[in-house]
């Protein structure tokens, strides 16, 4: 048997009747870290974990937590045996060192779970059982993956490599949010060896500085390999993935920059597109304003010209109605007046009568 603590209490009682030979036992101190009883922090790059440690079935109402801390980039966990009350007793594995870390798996029943790989250098393992039936428990092994593919980290070197965490099928995970910070007192060149993310949804951001508010240097998504970027020192790198479509990720390298070139401005495609739309909209608004102003000016000028032409029309002195001039001219002609004269020349009474009688064909007697 093995204790769950560093202490053991041993007691012996005998009654007042028969006697026997008694007993003997030996004990050996075992590092608590090696026992992996019901929860412990394990600081190893590889090892095995079994619960319950003494064999047999686990107990009811158990709540055990183990945290594995490695010196590498990520951890592979592989189950070698598994048996719990299905739907009631569970093993949880999370990507980190706390219960709030991203969940990588939740397992229950008698089927052997698939292997799990963390994106961080820590793994959080929890086992819970209810108050009903029990089972044989579980056993697993773990190994540290020593590469540069980890979800986040801080670096203080003048050169190095960062890559997106890879799963066993060669792609990154869904629903990731990773932040890397490179601390440097000298300018750096940022280059990419490979790049492939879900276009428009899984995005890598690079900033010239050590915070999320630093100046944007690049915003990348899709399958095109980004060009070399330059920073003045510290670099902030942030990656997010959504809930679907995984790609192969990226490999990013940094080195001391020996170029005198200035730091490029942001090549954020979305920001550039928005700026272009704003510029186009402003130019269109100016052109429309100029066009409307020109039309209004032309209409006003046309109206003034029409009014001037209206006032320049030659109207007869006594004309008060359209056609009056013609009527007066006819009458003046009838009475022997000269058209256009100020006062019509009306013939004397006799002459008018003669004219009228002559008009109607009458014979007029003349006075002596």
């Amino acid at each position: 048997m093995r204790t769950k603590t560093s202490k053991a209490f041993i007691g012996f009682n005998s009654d007042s009747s028969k006697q026997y030979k008694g007993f003997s036992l030996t004990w050996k101190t075992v590092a608590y870290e090696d026992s992996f009883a019901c929860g412990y922090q394990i600081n190893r790059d590889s090892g095995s974990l079994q619960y319950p440690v003494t064999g047999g079935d686990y107990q009811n109402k158990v709540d055990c937590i183990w945290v594995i801390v490695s010196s590498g980039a990520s951890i592979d966990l592989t189950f070698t045996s598994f048996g719990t009350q299905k739907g009631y007793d569970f093993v949880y594995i999370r990507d980190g060192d706390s219960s709030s870390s991203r969940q990588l798996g939740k397992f229950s029943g008698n089927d052997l779970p698939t292997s799990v790989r963390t994106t961080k250098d820590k793994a959080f393992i929890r086992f819970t059982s209810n108050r009903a039936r029990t089972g044989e428990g579980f056993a697993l092994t773990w190994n540290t993956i020593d590469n540069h593919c980890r979800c986040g980290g801080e670096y203080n070197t003048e050169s190095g490599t960062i890559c997106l965490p890879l799963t066993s099928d060669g792609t990154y995970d869904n629903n990731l949010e990773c932040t890397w910070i490179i601390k440097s007192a000298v300018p750096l060149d940022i280059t990419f060896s490979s790049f492939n993310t879900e276009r428009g949804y899984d995005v890598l951001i690079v900033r010239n500085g050590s915070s999320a508010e630093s100046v944007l240097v690049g915003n990348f998504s899709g399958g095109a390999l980004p060009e070399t970027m330059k920073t003045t020192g510290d670099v902030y790198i942030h990656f997010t993935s959504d809930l679907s479509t995984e790609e192969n990720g990226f490999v990013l390298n940094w080195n001391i920059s020996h170029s005198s070139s200035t730091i490029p401005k942001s090549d954020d495609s979305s920001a550039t597109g928005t700026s272009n739309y704003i510029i186009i909209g402003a130019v269109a608004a100016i052109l429309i304003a100029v066009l409307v102003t020109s039309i209004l000016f032309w209409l006003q000028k046309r109206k003034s010209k029409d009014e001037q032409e209206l006032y320049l029309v030659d109207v007869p002195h006594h004309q008060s109605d359209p056609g009056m001039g013609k009527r007066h001219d006819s009458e003046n002609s009838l009475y022997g007046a000269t058209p256009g004269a100020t006062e019509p020349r009306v013939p004397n009474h006799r002459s008018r009568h003669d004219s009228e009688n002559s008009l109607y064909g009458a014979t007029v007697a003349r006075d002596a």
Side-chain angles (χ1 to χ4, degrees), residues 183-351:
K183 293 286 189 178
S184 175
V186 297
L188 298 175
D189 282 342
I190 308 296
T191 59
F192 287 87
S193 303
S194 64
F195 192 91
N196 186 21
T197 71
E198 184 187 6
R199 182 178 297 277
Y201 295 94
D202 301 343
V203 181
L204 178 72
I205 295 174
V206 179
R207 295 183 180 275
N208 183 46
S210 59
S211 73
E213 290 74 34
S214 300
V215 176
L216 181 67
V217 176
N219 186 332
F220 309 103
S221 179
L225 193 68
E227 296 181 356
T228 299
M229 294 167 285
K230 300 181 183 298
T231 68
T232 58
D234 295 346
V235 186
Y236 177 93
I237 303 167
H238 186 72
F239 176 78
T240 55
S241 63
D242 65 359
L243 297 175
S244 63
T245 311
E246 311 87 12
E247 300 293 351
N248 302 118
F250 65 89
V251 177
L252 178 152
N253 308 286
W254 76 91
N255 291 279
I256 297 176
S257 177
H258 299 290
S259 172
S260 59
S261 301
T262 58
I263 298 171
K265 295 182 179 180
S266 167
D267 59 352
D268 183 350
S269 57
S270 60
T272 302
T274 302
S275 300
N276 289 338
Y277 286 131
I278 293 174
I279 293 171
I280 292 172
V283 171
I286 293 172
L287 291 176
I288 291 172
V290 171
L291 181 60
V292 170
T293 303
S294 299
I295 293 173
L296 292 176
F297 178 77
W298 180 84
L299 291 174
Q300 183 64 31
K301 185 175 181 181
R302 181 67 181 175
K303 180 179 179 182
S304 300
K305 183 177 180 181
D306 291 344
E307 290 177 350
Q308 290 175 4
E309 290 179 351
L310 180 64
Y311 287 117
L312 290 174
V313 173
D314 186 12
V315 180
H317 182 70
H318 292 289
Q319 183 174 331
S320 61
D321 182 70
M324 280 295 290
K326 292 183 179 180
R327 186 172 65 84
H328 284 182
D329 291 345
S330 299
E331 290 178 349
N332 290 336
S333 178
L334 179 64
Y335 295 115
T338 302
T342 304
E343 294 292 339
R345 287 191 303 107
V346 181
N348 60 33
H349 184 70
R350 181 183 300 273
S351 297

Side-chain angles (χ1 to χ4, degrees), residues 25 49 180 265 320 323:
L25 62 84
L49 189 157
W180 300 265
K265 295 182 179 180
S320 61

Side-chain angles (χ1 to χ4, degrees), residues 106-249:
K106 177 182 178 181
F107 309 106
S108 181
N110 295 296
D111 295 333
L112 198 66
T114 58
S115 298
V116 176
R117 174 177 288 184
T118 69
T119 65
K120 301 182 184 299
D121 57 354
K122 300 177 179 65
F124 178 93
I125 304 169
R126 182 178 184 181
F127 173 69
T128 60
S129 65
N130 68 355
R131 63 181 63 191
R133 291 184 297 150
T134 60
E136 67 181 45
F138 67 93
L140 61 80
T141 62
W142 77 91
N143 289 284
T144 297
I145 306 301
D146 189 14
N147 57 29
H148 304 287
C149 293
R150 65 175 69 189
C151 183
E154 184 170 316
Y155 303 89
N156 296 284
T157 59
E158 294 177 341
S159 63
T161 300
I162 291 173
C163 65
L164 196 65
L166 302 177
T167 60
S168 57
D169 62 354
T171 60
Y172 54 79
D173 289 323
N174 292 320
N175 199 28
L176 284 178
E177 185 168 358
C178 309
T179 301
W180 300 265
I181 297 176
I182 303 172
K183 293 286 189 178
S184 175
V186 297
L188 298 175
D189 282 342
I190 308 296
T191 59
F192 287 87
S193 303
S194 64
F195 192 91
N196 186 21
T197 71
E198 184 187 6
R199 182 178 297 277
Y201 295 94
D202 301 343
V203 181
L204 178 72
I205 295 174
V206 179
R207 295 183 180 275
N208 183 46
S210 59
S211 73
E213 290 74 34
S214 300
V215 176
L216 181 67
V217 176
N219 186 332
F220 309 103
S221 179
L225 193 68
E227 296 181 356
T228 299
M229 294 167 285
K230 300 181 183 298
T231 68
T232 58
D234 295 346
V235 186
Y236 177 93
I237 303 167
H238 186 72
F239 176 78
T240 55
S241 63
D242 65 359
L243 297 175
S244 63
T245 311
E246 311 87 12
E247 300 293 351
N248 302 118

